[in-house]
Amino acid sequence: MNWRIHWRRRVEGPLLSPRSFDLTVLTMLMVLAVHAPHLPVWLSLGLGSVLALRWWQRRRAPGKTPAWLKLPLIALLALAIVTTYGTVFGRAPGASLAVGLLVLKLLETETARDARVGIAFACFALMAALLFDQGLVATLGVALGLLPVLAALRSLEPAQTLVSLPRQLLPGLTLLAVSLPLTLFAFAVVPRLSTPLWGAPQDDQARTGLSSEMSPGDMTQLLVDDSPAMRVSFDTAPPPRGDLYFRAFVMWNYDGTSWRASPPYAKPEPVDATDRVSYAVTLLPNGQRVLPALGVPLGVPDGAVLRAGRVLARDKPVDDLLRYRLTSALHYRLGAAIGPERAPALELPSGLNPRTLALGREWRERLHGDTAAIVGAALALFHDGGFSYTLTPAPLGRDAMDDFLFSTREGFCEHYASAFTVLMRAAGVPARVVTGYQGGFWNRLGNYLLVRQSDAHAWSEVWMEGRGWVRVDPTAAVRPERVSLGAAAAGGGVRPWYQDAWLQNLRNRWDIVNRWWDKGVIGFDALRQRGLLTPFGVEQTDNQTLAWLLVAGSLLFGGAGLAWAMARRQRIDPALSALRRLERKLARAGVARRRGEGPQHYLRRAARALPGHREALRVLMEQYLQLRYAGDEPADESLRDFRRKVRDFRAARVVQ
């Protein structure tokens, strides 16, 4: 009995050449690479292993993988995606399933038809990567992913000469370069919609940014995230770093574990501004509804509302690049009178943090309710009480503030803002927590402030008689470097080499490139498209004008392409051109060249049909074969002699 297991299925029809199969594998590898940043690590590694094993197996012995192996792999892929995401619908699970099926398609790719199907689906998967990231690097990655696609399709054409892999990729690079002007033109004039025709569910887990809820320890991931959060351009000189507080959430409710941003009253507090600063914010997508504002905002951008705590909010999350202008006050009196909000600003959960509450009550009695003195006592405690700033604090228990103030004494902005606010409320001082961003990096080349996620910060506001809500940053009492250098530097989380001047300069320049890309490409929406022709005196470019521009441009590019093709056609081989002329003369004489007939056979047949020109045709045939096949480049003299003889050739019509 033959116990041998047959791993390969028989393939009908011509097999793919090794080069075509390698290029198909490279195409799928590029798709996997551009999707790897948002795929689960286990899936990227697993699919990469499948690609490598399939490539190795095919080089040893071509053949399709049997169905009893493919079907369990497909079922395993679907089961793993459902287990990970809970569904196969949505952007992230859908992309994972598409990339997984594309790679498994390679298991049965053995013919040109299989390869074309896989390559077509790979093009769709490449474009789908832009649903996750439209940045400069991601877009270039998708464009480079088209190189193996084009090379693989060319390799499937008949009569292809085997060349090195770089030379095989070069025509694709030329095609991309030639198509660039048309691509830029279409990007500029194809009418854009104010809102998309469809949408995909957003993956909140993939977003980093501030949250409307804060528990001490939640910001750790943000404080080590060096990705940009927003860019700010000021109309005048930038404010001092100590005034760069961007408020996002104001939190009132504390349950002993977390702070929440539920406002206790509807109307925003009135503000008396002593100075004003105007600026423009480019906010990167963060999935949140709030718009960070410097100091206290005095205006409201389009599509936003001003809520309690002078918080700016939109009716929908920021899922795309958003630009807005604002005017804010850096020095102000916010909420000179306090009304119904006093009670929620003093609320504390019962039965928790008894030592912290006792300390606050002791300050109130000893300092006779003097708010400024109570605030000073708390800041002195943080400054002189043995507290330290760290991004990796010890975990806290049920009485979190007691543990922090009397045991661990280490933490970062969330710990200090939370403990300070609880102490103030225990002492009878209305207080609340504010989260947002503090600081940033001033880009001198681009003349703007770059605020990163690592600049996320939390501070407190206390209400004082005659001064209103006053900002107090208890973290600065412990670690002033947090305000002057940032969270990572203050926490010792930055390597010395990371602060080198050359690296800072490189990051500075790279961010300018990203800013240009965000502003010129991602931020080119319908509103900016309407101002496309403003430099030419057209204030509003409507869709009809864009349509005419599109038609005119298409005709222009089509004409240029046709002229280019005709110019290439004119650069035909001179020897072949002369042969074509001879063929036309012989055809008029009644000896037309048959389809698929070679020149040697044709000229011999013509010599038999035209006995009077037999010797002349024999000479022309031998000359042509010498010119075409004797060397790489024919001699000019031989070529001119051949063309002269063709020109002088005269043949009488064959008598049938």
Side-chain angles (χ1 to χ4, degrees):
M1 180 178 296
N2 184 9
W3 294 96
R4 182 179 179 183
I5 300 177
H6 294 278
W7 287 82
R8 299 184 298 276
R9 290 174 53 196
R10 185 177 175 183
V11 179
E12 297 181 356
L15 294 177
L16 273 179
S17 66
R19 174 55 58 86
S20 295
F21 186 80
D22 291 347
L23 288 171
T24 305
V25 173
L26 184 59
T27 297
M28 297 183 180
L29 184 61
M30 287 298 296
V31 173
L32 181 60
V34 298
H35 279 275
H38 51 262
L39 291 181
V41 176
W42 59 266
L43 184 59
S44 299
L45 295 177
L47 295 178
S49 301
V50 171
L51 279 177
L53 289 173
R54 171 60 175 152
W55 177 82
W56 174 79
Q57 174 265 325
R58 216 252 180 192
R59 291 186 74 86
R60 294 190 61 193
K64 292 185 177 181
T65 304
W68 62 264
L69 182 57
K70 286 188 302 183
L71 294 179
L73 285 176
I74 295 174
L76 180 62
L77 172 68
L79 179 63
I81 289 176
V82 171
T83 304
T84 303
Y85 297 102
T87 179
V88 294
F89 300 104
R91 189 179 56 176
S96 300
L97 183 62
V99 176
L101 292 177
L102 175 65
V103 172
L104 294 182
K105 172 66 181 174
L106 193 67
L107 299 179
E108 61 178 15
T109 299
E110 283 294 344
T111 64
R113 177 185 176 279
D114 297 333
R116 288 192 177 96
V117 171
I119 292 169
F121 191 51
C123 292
F124 168 78
L126 274 175
M127 298 302 110
L130 296 177
L131 295 175
F132 296 87
D133 188 359
Q134 299 177 13
L136 177 59
V137 174
T139 304
L140 288 178
V142 171
L144 291 177
L146 293 175
L147 291 182
V149 169
L150 296 173
L153 290 175
R154 282 178 58 86
S155 71
L156 297 176
E157 297 175 358
Q160 288 294 309
T161 304
L162 184 62
V163 296
S164 62
L165 184 60
R167 289 192 60 186
Q168 192 110 31
L169 296 174
L170 191 59
L173 192 61
T174 304
L175 284 175
L176 290 179
V178 169
S179 65
L180 189 59
L182 180 60
T183 304
L184 294 176
F185 176 75
F187 172 80
V189 303
V190 170
R192 294 171 180 268
L193 301 176
S194 301
T195 56
L197 293 177
W198 65 85
Q202 301 296 320
D203 183 9
D204 293 336
Q205 293 180 349
R207 303 295 181 86
T208 57
L210 296 172
S211 171
S212 59
E213 183 175 337
M214 183 195 81
S215 300
D218 282 354
M219 276 192 184
T220 307
Q221 183 180 0
L222 274 181
L223 298 181
V224 297
D225 181 0
D226 214 22
S227 60
M230 59 182 183
R231 300 181 179 91
V232 185
S233 300
F234 295 95
D235 293 353
T236 57
R241 186 181 178 90
D243 289 336
L244 295 176
Y245 283 83
F246 294 87
R247 67 194 299 121
F249 293 98
V250 175
M251 302 185 179
W252 298 77
N253 299 336
Y254 181 57
D255 60 4
T257 302
S258 302
W259 290 87
R260 292 181 175 81
S262 301
Y265 57 101
K267 294 183 179 179
E269 304 92 333
V271 57
D272 297 326
T274 57
D275 57 1
R276 298 168 185 266
V277 58
S278 298
Y279 53 98
V281 178
T282 302
L283 183 65
L284 276 74
N286 55 21
Q288 297 290 343
R289 299 175 187 272
V290 297
L291 304 181
L294 182 65
V296 171
L298 300 176
V300 182
D302 293 338
V305 295
L306 189 62
R307 292 181 176 174
R310 307 293 293 190
V311 170
L312 294 172
R314 303 175 77 221
D315 57 352
K316 58 183 179 180
V318 181
D319 293 327
D320 300 304
L321 196 73
L322 179 66
R323 287 176 53 83
Y324 56 93
R325 286 192 58 82
L326 269 179
T327 298
S328 292
L330 299 179
H331 303 93
Y332 50 84
R333 185 171 64 176
L334 176 62
I338 189 169
E341 63 271 24
R342 170 182 283 274
L346 292 172
E347 285 183 355
L348 288 170
S350 60
L352 297 175
N353 304 307
R355 300 180 65 185
T356 303
L357 301 186
L359 179 60
R361 288 192 290 266
E362 188 268 333
W363 284 347
R364 181 177 60 188
E365 295 176 1
R366 179 164 57 86
L367 300 174
H368 308 291
D370 186 338
T371 302
I374 294 172
V375 170
L379 295 180
L381 171 67
F382 290 137
H383 186 269
D384 304 326
F387 288 84
S388 62
Y389 185 92
T390 176
L391 297 181
T392 55
L396 305 177
R398 177 177 178 271
D399 296 316
M401 295 302 98
D402 281 2
D403 293 343
F404 170 68
L405 289 173
F406 303 103
S407 180
T408 63
R409 291 189 173 88
E410 62 180 16
F412 49 91
C413 57
E414 285 184 336
H415 298 78
Y416 292 101
S418 180
F420 178 86
T421 306
V422 171
L423 281 170
M424 292 300 102
R425 291 187 176 187
V429 178
R432 59 192 184 187
V433 171
V434 182
T435 62
Y437 297 97
Q438 193 280 322
F441 177 78
W442 181 251
N443 191 319
R444 296 184 182 278
L445 294 176
N447 200 31
Y448 64 90
L449 180 74
L450 172 63
V451 180
R452 300 181 182 275
Q453 297 292 357
S454 56
D455 293 316
H457 193 46
W459 60 93
S460 299
E461 284 183 345
V462 296
W463 190 85
M464 295 183 176
E465 187 68 38
R467 298 180 59 186
W469 291 101
V470 178
R471 181 177 65 229
V472 181
D473 191 347
T475 308
V478 180
R479 189 71 168 167
E481 291 83 355
R482 169 60 187 86
V483 177
S484 59
L485 298 178
V494 177
R495 303 281 185 184
W497 59 267
Y498 197 67
Q499 298 293 329
D500 285 347
W502 68 270
L503 184 57
Q504 292 291 331
N505 188 42
L506 182 63
R507 295 176 65 207
N508 194 4
R509 293 176 183 275
W510 176 243
D511 191 74
I512 291 178
V513 175
N514 284 320
R515 186 196 185 206
W516 171 84
W517 181 264
D518 290 344
K519 185 177 180 180
V521 178
I522 299 178
F524 189 74
D525 52 12
L527 182 62
R528 295 190 63 188
Q529 191 180 39
R530 284 198 288 272
L532 184 66
L533 298 180
T534 301
F536 303 99
V538 180
E539 293 296 332
Q540 290 290 328
T541 306
D542 54 15
N543 288 339
Q544 185 177 4
T545 304
L546 291 174
W548 279 113
L549 283 176
L550 185 60
V551 171
S554 300
L555 292 176
L556 180 63
F557 278 101
L562 182 62
W564 177 71
M566 294 181 66
R568 282 179 57 87
R569 186 177 179 180
Q570 291 175 356
R571 292 200 301 269
I572 193 172
D573 182 354
L576 183 60
S577 177
L579 178 65
R580 296 284 184 264
R581 184 177 183 182
L582 179 60
E583 289 175 4
R584 289 192 292 272
K585 289 185 175 182
L586 292 174
R588 287 194 294 270
V591 188
R593 187 173 179 178
R594 296 168 182 164
R595 185 178 181 86
E597 188 176 24
Q600 185 176 14
H601 184 273
Y602 170 59
L603 292 178
R604 282 178 176 172
R605 184 167 61 85
R608 291 195 297 272
L610 302 170
H613 301 284
R614 179 175 300 171
E615 181 60 22
L617 289 172
R618 184 190 64 78
V619 172
L620 288 172
M621 178 191 69
E622 292 179 353
Q623 272 193 294
Y624 178 75
L625 295 178
Q626 286 288 327
L627 291 171
R628 290 289 291 165
Y629 307 112
D632 295 335
E633 292 291 339
D636 291 341
E637 295 79 7
S638 302
L639 187 59
R640 282 196 295 269
D641 182 64
F642 177 70
R643 297 175 67 180
R644 180 180 56 78
K645 288 179 178 176
V646 170
R647 183 193 61 198
D648 297 339
F649 182 79
R650 299 286 187 275
R653 186 174 181 81
V654 178
V655 179
Q656 301 292 334

